[in-house]
Amino acid sequence: MKPRILVTGGTGYIGSHTVVELQNAGYPVVIIDNLSNSNVEVLDGIERITGIRPDFVEADCTDISALKSLFDKYPGIKGIINFAASKAVGESMQKPVLYYRNNLNTLMNLLDIMAEREVKGIVFSSSCTVYGEPDVNPVTEQSPIKKATSPYGNTKQISEEIITDVINAGAPFKSVILRYFNPVGAHPSAEIGELPNGVPQNLIPFLTQTAIGIRKELSVFGNDYNTPDGSCIRDYIDVVDLAKAHVIAVERMLDDKSPEKIEIFNLGTGNGLSVLELINTFETATGVKVPHKIVGRRAGDIEKVWANPMHANEVLGWKAETPIADTMRSAWAWQCKLRERGIM
Ligand code: NAD
Ligand code: WQD
């Protein structure tokens, strides 16, 4: 029997896909989520895919007594994956304290309880946002960390520093920090996917909502960047590929496969795609048109960033495998499923 894994934010977008992969790999999972940005029905989707309903505690990770009760109720937790965080860049500019409090107190509570309850390791969700606008692409884990341009981004930088300081101070556990590029798509079963709140700020949910007619047209933010077609370039990584990397990271920590107490990996495909290329790929893959127009640049956007994923490829033996056309089809199938269920 594999040890139990605590997944914070496990009913969220990336968390739910990761719970599926953990359960498929034989790990019993307990989720803690306060449902601030997700829905309890996600558990049904996970159960339909895997045949197993993960244990679920509705609670807030900033509440240390709730965490303690969870550990009392579910003994034997040996690993934590910490997805729980507030993640909207724009909102973080309006409500910085909410972001610092939620994201940092969550992490610090988890680090405290890990030492107390003999948890062997924590996987932390970081972001390519730590690289800001890189001087050179693709970015490696050694690329410079740029000053954060939002409180959200700053919480990721500070979180990485907190983990590093705590482990360097001799904490009795390991950590794997995963820097995600742009996670997109949904589970191919269309049982789980991304559930954006209100008007989506991110490209793919806005694109699929436009394709289905909820939005009139997609605005492409700028075509005058220094890129081949003038639109911004990102590294779009399939959410199921991303989820699988977490299972490998957990195994690595629990089996003491690395002498390092703290490791950092970029999780991306290594391919940069422009906004216009992505729209085109979606249209070709699904046969559905996306009405769009070019508008001005969005304040604060990075011109281009994509990953060098060699470190994860070589050390974790992990590689993004899903062709982007398949990812676009899964994103579309999920949007259609939301319509079918009358959600959107
Ligand atoms: P999400 O909002 O879908 O999932 C986060 C989950 O955490 C939600 O279910 C929310 O209800 C829960 N949550 C938030 N604060 C909580 C708290 N204090 N206690 C308990 N539950 C709490 O977001 P996601 O896209 O799945 O992102 C997961 C993680 O990955 C986040 O840490 C995010 O910053 C990071 N990340 C996301 C992206 C992305 O583009 N989606 C990119 C890089 C990094
Ligand atoms: C992608 C591209 C937009 C919407 C954000 C966070 C980052 C990380 C990932 C968490 C950009 C363009 C978008 C639209 C558009 N998250 N776009 N029209 O900005 O790369 O990163 O998510 O850590 O921290 O900042 O993602 O999906 O918002 O944008 O043209 O309606 O799509 O300009 O080039 P981004 P995104």
Side-chain angles (χ1 to χ4, degrees), residues 89 127 129 152 181-182 201-203 206 218-221 232 234 236 275 298 301:
V89 175
S127 168
T129 191
Y152 167 75
F181 282 66
N182 286 56
Q201 305 301 307
N202 295 116
L203 179 59
F206 202 103
L218 168 71
S219 296
V220 175
F221 297 138
C232 293
R234 298 287 184 275
Y236 297 95
V275 177
R298 179 172 70 175
D301 257 340

Side-chain angles (χ1 to χ4, degrees), residues 72-248:
D72 290 342
K73 186 167 176 201
Y74 297 99
I77 292 170
K78 287 289 164 227
I80 298 180
I81 308 181
N82 181 29
F83 293 107
S86 305
K87 65 157 184 179
V89 175
E91 186 189 45
S92 80
M93 311 284 252
Q94 310 301 321
K95 301 175 184 168
V97 173
L98 185 153
Y99 275 67
Y100 287 115
R101 182 177 291 129
N102 195 40
N103 296 3
L104 301 182
N105 284 354
T106 287
L107 175 65
M108 290 187 292
N109 277 349
L110 293 172
L111 294 174
D112 273 347
I113 208 155
M114 284 178 76
E116 194 183 304
R117 306 292 177 118
E118 295 177 2
V119 181
K120 290 184 80 173
I122 181 165
V123 179
F124 180 75
S125 300
S126 190
S127 168
C128 66
T129 191
V130 302
Y131 300 116
E133 180 78 64
D135 301 323
V136 179
N137 274 296
V139 291
T140 70
E141 291 77 1
Q142 280 69 48
S143 295
I145 301 297
K146 297 279 175 71
K147 186 174 164 42
T149 54
S150 72
Y152 167 75
N154 208 19
T155 67
K156 293 299 174 193
Q157 296 193 3
I158 296 170
S159 294
E160 289 197 3
E161 288 171 358
I162 292 174
I163 293 170
T164 308
D165 287 347
V166 168
I167 287 189
N168 287 342
F173 50 77
K174 292 187 167 185
S175 182
V176 175
I177 293 173
L178 300 177
R179 293 179 179 155
Y180 314 152
F181 282 66
N182 286 56
V184 290
H187 195 270
S189 65
E191 293 290 357
I192 53 172
E194 189 170 10
L195 251 191
N197 226 337
V199 181
Q201 305 301 307
N202 295 116
L203 179 59
I204 288 301
F206 202 103
L207 185 157
T208 57
Q209 288 192 10
T210 306
I212 209 161
I214 297 170
R215 315 274 159 212
K216 201 166 127 271
E217 60 189 349
L218 168 71
S219 296
V220 175
F221 297 138
N223 68 345
D224 57 352
Y225 285 100
N226 181 24
T227 62
D229 66 21
S231 63
C232 293
I233 294 177
R234 298 287 184 275
D235 187 335
Y236 297 95
I237 164 91
D238 188 274
V239 67
V240 175
D241 287 340
L242 189 72
K244 288 178 176 164
H246 293 74
V247 180
I248 299 172

